[in-house]
PDB file of all heavy atoms in Angstrom:
ATOM      1  N   LYS A   1     -49.048-136.536 -28.647  1.00  0.00           N
ATOM      2  CA  LYS A   1     -48.914-136.144 -30.049  1.00  0.00           C
ATOM      3  C   LYS A   1     -48.402-137.294 -30.913  1.00  0.00           C
ATOM      4  O   LYS A   1     -47.720-138.197 -30.447  1.00  0.00           O
ATOM      5  CB  LYS A   1     -47.972-134.948 -30.169  1.00  0.00           C
ATOM      6  CG  LYS A   1     -48.530-133.663 -29.565  1.00  0.00           C
ATOM      7  CD  LYS A   1     -47.566-132.509 -29.749  1.00  0.00           C
ATOM      8  CE  LYS A   1     -48.196-131.185 -29.296  1.00  0.00           C
ATOM      9  NZ  LYS A   1     -48.538-131.164 -27.873  1.00  0.00           N
ATOM     10  N   THR A   2     -48.749-137.216 -32.165  1.00  0.00           N
ATOM     11  CA  THR A   2     -48.208-138.111 -33.168  1.00  0.00           C
ATOM     12  C   THR A   2     -47.991-137.290 -34.433  1.00  0.00           C
ATOM     13  O   THR A   2     -48.112-136.067 -34.427  1.00  0.00           O
ATOM     14  CB  THR A   2     -49.120-139.315 -33.422  1.00  0.00           C
ATOM     15  OG1 THR A   2     -48.435-140.268 -34.261  1.00  0.00           O
ATOM     16  CG2 THR A   2     -50.426-138.921 -34.096  1.00  0.00           C
ATOM     17  N   ILE A   3     -47.677-137.964 -35.522  1.00  0.00           N
ATOM     18  CA  ILE A   3     -47.418-137.282 -36.789  1.00  0.00           C
ATOM     19  C   ILE A   3     -48.345-137.848 -37.860  1.00  0.00           C
ATOM     20  O   ILE A   3     -48.548-139.067 -37.932  1.00  0.00           O
ATOM     21  CB  ILE A   3     -45.942-137.437 -37.193  1.00  0.00           C
ATOM     22  CG1 ILE A   3     -45.069-136.629 -36.218  1.00  0.00           C
ATOM     23  CG2 ILE A   3     -45.699-136.988 -38.632  1.00  0.00           C
ATOM     24  CD1 ILE A   3     -43.598-136.823 -36.387  1.00  0.00           C
ATOM     25  N   TYR A   4     -48.892-136.959 -38.646  1.00  0.00           N
ATOM     26  CA  TYR A   4     -49.702-137.358 -39.790  1.00  0.00           C
ATOM     27  C   TYR A   4     -48.853-137.258 -41.046  1.00  0.00           C
ATOM     28  O   TYR A   4     -48.255-136.218 -41.329  1.00  0.00           O
ATOM     29  CB  TYR A   4     -50.928-136.453 -39.933  1.00  0.00           C
ATOM     30  CG  TYR A   4     -51.763-136.774 -41.155  1.00  0.00           C
ATOM     31  CD1 TYR A   4     -52.529-137.930 -41.210  1.00  0.00           C
ATOM     32  CD2 TYR A   4     -51.767-135.925 -42.265  1.00  0.00           C
ATOM     33  CE1 TYR A   4     -53.286-138.234 -42.330  1.00  0.00           C
ATOM     34  CE2 TYR A   4     -52.529-136.214 -43.386  1.00  0.00           C
ATOM     35  CZ  TYR A   4     -53.278-137.378 -43.413  1.00  0.00           C
ATOM     36  OH  TYR A   4     -54.019-137.687 -44.532  1.00  0.00           O
ATOM     37  N   ASN A   5     -48.794-138.351 -41.791  1.00  0.00           N
ATOM     38  CA  ASN A   5     -48.056-138.399 -43.041  1.00  0.00           C
ATOM     39  C   ASN A   5     -49.063-138.257 -44.183  1.00  0.00           C
ATOM     40  O   ASN A   5     -49.811-139.188 -44.479  1.00  0.00           O
ATOM     41  CB  ASN A   5     -47.279-139.719 -43.152  1.00  0.00           C
ATOM     42  CG  ASN A   5     -46.378-139.778 -44.370  1.00  0.00           C
ATOM     43  OD1 ASN A   5     -46.763-139.351 -45.456  1.00  0.00           O
ATOM     44  ND2 ASN A   5     -45.192-140.323 -44.209  1.00  0.00           N
ATOM     45  N   ALA A   6     -49.101-137.083 -44.794  1.00  0.00           N
ATOM     46  CA  ALA A   6     -50.088-136.804 -45.838  1.00  0.00           C
ATOM     47  C   ALA A   6     -49.858-137.656 -47.076  1.00  0.00           C
ATOM     48  O   ALA A   6     -50.810-138.016 -47.777  1.00  0.00           O
ATOM     49  CB  ALA A   6     -50.057-135.324 -46.196  1.00  0.00           C
ATOM     50  N   GLU A   7     -48.612-137.974 -47.358  1.00  0.00           N
ATOM     51  CA  GLU A   7     -48.317-138.777 -48.546  1.00  0.00           C
ATOM     52  C   GLU A   7     -48.903-140.177 -48.421  1.00  0.00           C
ATOM     53  O   GLU A   7     -49.462-140.724 -49.381  1.00  0.00           O
ATOM     54  CB  GLU A   7     -46.802-138.864 -48.763  1.00  0.00           C
ATOM     55  CG  GLU A   7     -46.415-139.613 -50.020  1.00  0.00           C
ATOM     56  CD  GLU A   7     -44.912-139.622 -50.266  1.00  0.00           C
ATOM     57  OE1 GLU A   7     -44.170-139.038 -49.443  1.00  0.00           O
ATOM     58  OE2 GLU A   7     -44.484-140.211 -51.272  1.00  0.00           O
ATOM     59  N   VAL A   8     -48.785-140.762 -47.231  1.00  0.00           N
ATOM     60  CA  VAL A   8     -49.328-142.098 -46.980  1.00  0.00           C
ATOM     61  C   VAL A   8     -50.807-142.013 -46.616  1.00  0.00           C
ATOM     62  O   VAL A   8     -51.573-142.947 -46.829  1.00  0.00           O
ATOM     63  CB  VAL A   8     -48.529-142.799 -45.854  1.00  0.00           C
ATOM     64  CG1 VAL A   8     -49.090-144.194 -45.563  1.00  0.00           C
ATOM     65  CG2 VAL A   8     -47.059-142.901 -46.235  1.00  0.00           C
ATOM     66  N   GLY A   9     -51.220-140.881 -46.046  1.00  0.00           N
ATOM     67  CA  GLY A   9     -52.587-140.724 -45.586  1.00  0.00           C
ATOM     68  C   GLY A   9     -52.848-141.432 -44.286  1.00  0.00           C
ATOM     69  O   GLY A   9     -53.924-141.998 -44.062  1.00  0.00           O
ATOM     70  N   GLU A  10     -51.859-141.410 -43.386  1.00  0.00           N
ATOM     71  CA  GLU A  10     -51.944-142.205 -42.166  1.00  0.00           C
ATOM     72  C   GLU A  10     -51.222-141.514 -41.018  1.00  0.00           C
ATOM     73  O   GLU A  10     -50.226-140.802 -41.214  1.00  0.00           O
ATOM     74  CB  GLU A  10     -51.312-143.582 -42.411  1.00  0.00           C
ATOM     75  CG  GLU A  10     -51.437-144.577 -41.260  1.00  0.00           C
ATOM     76  CD  GLU A  10     -52.814-145.191 -41.149  1.00  0.00           C
ATOM     77  OE1 GLU A  10     -53.787-144.419 -41.007  1.00  0.00           O
ATOM     78  OE2 GLU A  10     -52.912-146.423 -41.207  1.00  0.00           O
ATOM     79  N   LEU A  11     -51.727-141.730 -39.802  1.00  0.00           N
ATOM     80  CA  LEU A  11     -51.048-141.292 -38.591  1.00  0.00           C
ATOM     81  C   LEU A  11     -49.993-142.309 -38.186  1.00  0.00           C
ATOM     82  O   LEU A  11     -50.123-143.505 -38.464  1.00  0.00           O
ATOM     83  CB  LEU A  11     -52.052-141.146 -37.447  1.00  0.00           C
ATOM     84  CG  LEU A  11     -53.119-140.065 -37.576  1.00  0.00           C
ATOM     85  CD1 LEU A  11     -54.154-140.227 -36.470  1.00  0.00           C
ATOM     86  CD2 LEU A  11     -52.491-138.684 -37.518  1.00  0.00           C
ATOM     87  N   TYR A  12     -48.955-141.850 -37.494  1.00  0.00           N
ATOM     88  CA  TYR A  12     -47.928-142.763 -36.991  1.00  0.00           C
ATOM     89  C   TYR A  12     -48.443-143.599 -35.823  1.00  0.00           C
ATOM     90  O   TYR A  12     -47.884-144.660 -35.525  1.00  0.00           O
ATOM     91  CB  TYR A  12     -46.693-141.973 -36.544  1.00  0.00           C
ATOM     92  CG  TYR A  12     -45.739-141.611 -37.654  1.00  0.00           C
ATOM     93  CD1 TYR A  12     -46.161-140.844 -38.732  1.00  0.00           C
ATOM     94  CD2 TYR A  12     -44.415-142.020 -37.622  1.00  0.00           C
ATOM     95  CE1 TYR A  12     -45.281-140.500 -39.750  1.00  0.00           C
ATOM     96  CE2 TYR A  12     -43.536-141.679 -38.637  1.00  0.00           C
ATOM     97  CZ  TYR A  12     -43.975-140.920 -39.697  1.00  0.00           C
ATOM     98  OH  TYR A  12     -43.096-140.584 -40.699  1.00  0.00           O
ATOM     99  N   HIS A  13     -49.461-143.097 -35.124  1.00  0.00           N
ATOM    100  CA  HIS A  13     -50.056-143.820 -33.998  1.00  0.00           C
ATOM    101  C   HIS A  13     -51.572-143.753 -34.102  1.00  0.00           C
ATOM    102  O   HIS A  13     -52.116-143.027 -34.935  1.00  0.00           O
ATOM    103  CB  HIS A  13     -49.626-143.204 -32.660  1.00  0.00           C
ATOM    104  CG  HIS A  13     -48.153-143.160 -32.431  1.00  0.00           C
ATOM    105  ND1 HIS A  13     -47.388-142.051 -32.754  1.00  0.00           N
ATOM    106  CD2 HIS A  13     -47.304-144.076 -31.922  1.00  0.00           C
ATOM    107  CE1 HIS A  13     -46.117-142.303 -32.452  1.00  0.00           C
ATOM    108  NE2 HIS A  13     -46.048-143.516 -31.938  1.00  0.00           N
ATOM    109  N   SER A  14     -52.229-144.458 -33.198  1.00  0.00           N
ATOM    110  CA  SER A  14     -53.687-144.434 -33.157  1.00  0.00           C
ATOM    111  C   SER A  14     -54.206-143.041 -32.832  1.00  0.00           C
ATOM    112  O   SER A  14     -53.695-142.372 -31.929  1.00  0.00           O
ATOM    113  CB  SER A  14     -54.182-145.426 -32.104  1.00  0.00           C
ATOM    114  OG  SER A  14     -55.561-145.256 -31.862  1.00  0.00           O
ATOM    115  N   ARG A  15     -55.259-142.622 -33.521  1.00  0.00           N
ATOM    116  CA  ARG A  15     -55.890-141.341 -33.211  1.00  0.00           C
ATOM    117  C   ARG A  15     -56.553-141.389 -31.834  1.00  0.00           C
ATOM    118  O   ARG A  15     -56.872-140.370 -31.241  1.00  0.00           O
ATOM    119  CB  ARG A  15     -56.902-140.982 -34.289  1.00  0.00           C
ATOM    120  CG  ARG A  15     -58.126-141.866 -34.364  1.00  0.00           C
ATOM    121  CD  ARG A  15     -59.060-141.454 -35.500  1.00  0.00           C
ATOM    122  NE  ARG A  15     -58.443-141.632 -36.809  1.00  0.00           N
ATOM    123  CZ  ARG A  15     -58.006-140.635 -37.554  1.00  0.00           C
ATOM    124  NH1 ARG A  15     -58.101-139.389 -37.135  1.00  0.00           N
ATOM    125  NH2 ARG A  15     -57.469-140.872 -38.746  1.00  0.00           N
ATOM    126  N   ASN A  16     -56.767-142.603 -31.297  1.00  0.00           N
ATOM    127  CA  ASN A  16     -57.352-142.763 -29.970  1.00  0.00           C
ATOM    128  C   ASN A  16     -56.336-142.534 -28.852  1.00  0.00           C
ATOM    129  O   ASN A  16     -56.705-142.580 -27.675  1.00  0.00           O
ATOM    130  CB  ASN A  16     -57.958-144.158 -29.822  1.00  0.00           C
ATOM    131  CG  ASN A  16     -59.154-144.348 -30.735  1.00  0.00           C
ATOM    132  OD1 ASN A  16     -60.157-143.669 -30.620  1.00  0.00           O
ATOM    133  ND2 ASN A  16     -59.031-145.267 -31.687  1.00  0.00           N
ATOM    134  N   GLY A  17     -55.077-142.320 -29.217  1.00  0.00           N
ATOM    135  CA  GLY A  17     -54.060-142.025 -28.217  1.00  0.00           C
ATOM    136  C   GLY A  17     -52.738-142.672 -28.545  1.00  0.00           C
ATOM    137  O   GLY A  17     -52.616-143.897 -28.485  1.00  0.00           O
ATOM    138  N   ALA A  18     -51.749-141.852 -28.888  1.00  0.00           N
ATOM    139  CA  ALA A  18     -50.413-142.378 -29.197  1.00  0.00           C
ATOM    140  C   ALA A  18     -49.782-143.022 -27.966  1.00  0.00           C
ATOM    141  O   ALA A  18     -49.242-144.133 -28.031  1.00  0.00           O
ATOM    142  CB  ALA A  18     -49.522-141.251 -29.715  1.00  0.00           C
ATOM    143  N   LEU A  19     -49.851-142.334 -26.852  1.00  0.00           N
ATOM    144  CA  LEU A  19     -49.213-142.842 -25.629  1.00  0.00           C
ATOM    145  C   LEU A  19     -49.855-144.132 -25.158  1.00  0.00           C
ATOM    146  O   LEU A  19     -49.156-145.114 -24.876  1.00  0.00           O
ATOM    147  CB  LEU A  19     -49.282-141.783 -24.529  1.00  0.00           C
ATOM    148  CG  LEU A  19     -48.669-142.179 -23.174  1.00  0.00           C
ATOM    149  CD1 LEU A  19     -47.176-142.413 -23.307  1.00  0.00           C
ATOM    150  CD2 LEU A  19     -48.965-141.112 -22.126  1.00  0.00           C
ATOM    151  N   GLN A  20     -51.179-144.157 -25.076  1.00  0.00           N
ATOM    152  CA  GLN A  20     -51.837-145.365 -24.569  1.00  0.00           C
ATOM    153  C   GLN A  20     -51.597-146.549 -25.496  1.00  0.00           C
ATOM    154  O   GLN A  20     -51.430-147.678 -25.028  1.00  0.00           O
ATOM    155  CB  GLN A  20     -53.338-145.112 -24.344  1.00  0.00           C
ATOM    156  CG  GLN A  20     -54.161-144.765 -25.578  1.00  0.00           C
ATOM    157  CD  GLN A  20     -54.609-145.955 -26.399  1.00  0.00           C
ATOM    158  OE1 GLN A  20     -54.709-147.073 -25.882  1.00  0.00           O
ATOM    159  NE2 GLN A  20     -54.848-145.730 -27.686  1.00  0.00           N
ATOM    160  N   GLU A  21     -51.552-146.310 -26.809  1.00  0.00           N
ATOM    161  CA  GLU A  21     -51.304-147.407 -27.739  1.00  0.00           C
ATOM    162  C   GLU A  21     -49.902-147.969 -27.559  1.00  0.00           C
ATOM    163  O   GLU A  21     -49.705-149.182 -27.496  1.00  0.00           O
ATOM    164  CB  GLU A  21     -51.480-146.933 -29.183  1.00  0.00           C
ATOM    165  CG  GLU A  21     -51.228-148.040 -30.205  1.00  0.00           C
ATOM    166  CD  GLU A  21     -51.270-147.538 -31.635  1.00  0.00           C
ATOM    167  OE1 GLU A  21     -50.653-146.486 -31.923  1.00  0.00           O
ATOM    168  OE2 GLU A  21     -51.899-148.199 -32.476  1.00  0.00           O
ATOM    169  N   SER A  22     -48.923-147.090 -27.452  1.00  0.00           N
ATOM    170  CA  SER A  22     -47.543-147.533 -27.301  1.00  0.00           C
ATOM    171  C   SER A  22     -47.357-148.314 -26.012  1.00  0.00           C
ATOM    172  O   SER A  22     -46.710-149.374 -25.991  1.00  0.00           O
ATOM    173  CB  SER A  22     -46.612-146.317 -27.335  1.00  0.00           C
ATOM    174  OG  SER A  22     -45.269-146.717 -27.315  1.00  0.00           O
ATOM    175  N   LEU A  23     -47.919-147.810 -24.935  1.00  0.00           N
ATOM    176  CA  LEU A  23     -47.799-148.509 -23.655  1.00  0.00           C
ATOM    177  C   LEU A  23     -48.514-149.851 -23.681  1.00  0.00           C
ATOM    178  O   LEU A  23     -47.974-150.866 -23.226  1.00  0.00           O
ATOM    179  CB  LEU A  23     -48.372-147.639 -22.531  1.00  0.00           C
ATOM    180  CG  LEU A  23     -47.523-146.447 -22.088  1.00  0.00           C
ATOM    181  CD1 LEU A  23     -48.313-145.550 -21.142  1.00  0.00           C
ATOM    182  CD2 LEU A  23     -46.231-146.913 -21.429  1.00  0.00           C
ATOM    183  N   HIS A  24     -49.724-149.885 -24.221  1.00  0.00           N
ATOM    184  CA  HIS A  24     -50.522-151.108 -24.190  1.00  0.00           C
ATOM    185  C   HIS A  24     -49.973-152.191 -25.119  1.00  0.00           C
ATOM    186  O   HIS A  24     -49.747-153.328 -24.692  1.00  0.00           O
ATOM    187  CB  HIS A  24     -51.971-150.797 -24.583  1.00  0.00           C
ATOM    188  CG  HIS A  24     -52.867-151.994 -24.549  1.00  0.00           C
ATOM    189  ND1 HIS A  24     -53.576-152.349 -23.429  1.00  0.00           N
ATOM    190  CD2 HIS A  24     -53.159-152.930 -25.495  1.00  0.00           C
ATOM    191  CE1 HIS A  24     -54.263-153.462 -23.682  1.00  0.00           C
ATOM    192  NE2 HIS A  24     -54.031-153.825 -24.942  1.00  0.00           N
ATOM    193  N   VAL A  25     -49.756-151.822 -26.366  1.00  0.00           N
ATOM    194  CA  VAL A  25     -49.407-152.826 -27.384  1.00  0.00           C
ATOM    195  C   VAL A  25     -47.960-153.276 -27.265  1.00  0.00           C
ATOM    196  O   VAL A  25     -47.666-154.482 -27.337  1.00  0.00           O
ATOM    197  CB  VAL A  25     -49.675-152.265 -28.796  1.00  0.00           C
ATOM    198  CG1 VAL A  25     -49.193-153.252 -29.869  1.00  0.00           C
ATOM    199  CG2 VAL A  25     -51.145-151.955 -28.975  1.00  0.00           C
ATOM    200  N   PHE A  26     -47.061-152.337 -27.062  1.00  0.00           N
ATOM    201  CA  PHE A  26     -45.647-152.663 -27.156  1.00  0.00           C
ATOM    202  C   PHE A  26     -44.973-152.834 -25.793  1.00  0.00           C
ATOM    203  O   PHE A  26     -44.367-153.878 -25.532  1.00  0.00           O
ATOM    204  CB  PHE A  26     -44.939-151.626 -28.032  1.00  0.00           C
ATOM    205  CG  PHE A  26     -45.527-151.574 -29.415  1.00  0.00           C
ATOM    206  CD1 PHE A  26     -46.328-150.520 -29.825  1.00  0.00           C
ATOM    207  CD2 PHE A  26     -45.324-152.625 -30.302  1.00  0.00           C
ATOM    208  CE1 PHE A  26     -46.906-150.495 -31.081  1.00  0.00           C
ATOM    209  CE2 PHE A  26     -45.894-152.620 -31.571  1.00  0.00           C
ATOM    210  CZ  PHE A  26     -46.683-151.563 -31.964  1.00  0.00           C
ATOM    211  N   VAL A  27     -45.111-151.866 -24.916  1.00  0.00           N
ATOM    212  CA  VAL A  27     -44.431-151.973 -23.624  1.00  0.00           C
ATOM    213  C   VAL A  27     -45.068-153.053 -22.749  1.00  0.00           C
ATOM    214  O   VAL A  27     -44.372-153.940 -22.230  1.00  0.00           O
ATOM    215  CB  VAL A  27     -44.411-150.617 -22.895  1.00  0.00           C
ATOM    216  CG1 VAL A  27     -43.735-150.753 -21.528  1.00  0.00           C
ATOM    217  CG2 VAL A  27     -43.673-149.582 -23.738  1.00  0.00           C
ATOM    218  N   ASN A  28     -46.382-153.012 -22.589  1.00  0.00           N
ATOM    219  CA  ASN A  28     -47.026-153.965 -21.691  1.00  0.00           C
ATOM    220  C   ASN A  28     -47.182-155.354 -22.302  1.00  0.00           C
ATOM    221  O   ASN A  28     -46.789-156.358 -21.695  1.00  0.00           O
ATOM    222  CB  ASN A  28     -48.391-153.429 -21.237  1.00  0.00           C
ATOM    223  CG  ASN A  28     -48.255-152.228 -20.331  1.00  0.00           C
ATOM    224  OD1 ASN A  28     -47.265-152.078 -19.617  1.00  0.00           O
ATOM    225  ND2 ASN A  28     -49.240-151.342 -20.345  1.00  0.00           N
ATOM    226  N   ALA A  29     -47.748-155.422 -23.507  1.00  0.00           N
ATOM    227  CA  ALA A  29     -47.991-156.733 -24.126  1.00  0.00           C
ATOM    228  C   ALA A  29     -46.728-157.351 -24.706  1.00  0.00           C
ATOM    229  O   ALA A  29     -46.677-158.562 -24.928  1.00  0.00           O
ATOM    230  CB  ALA A  29     -49.050-156.608 -25.224  1.00  0.00           C
TER     231      ALA A  29
END
């Protein structure tokens, strides 16, 4: 899960996967 901010018009994470993005971009890389 992630959060959609309607005011900004954006998700807090990738729609392709919050968990995989966090692990790939930040934890692993």
Side-chain angles (χ1 to χ4, degrees):
K1 292 181 173 62
T2 189
I3 291 173
Y4 177 72
N5 186 319
E7 183 177 0
V8 179
E10 185 77 303
L11 294 170
Y12 277 59
H13 302 94
S14 169
R15 68 182 65 254
N16 293 298
L19 179 64
Q20 63 82 24
E21 180 186 46
S22 185
L23 286 171
H24 181 91
V25 175
F26 301 106
V27 178
N28 292 331

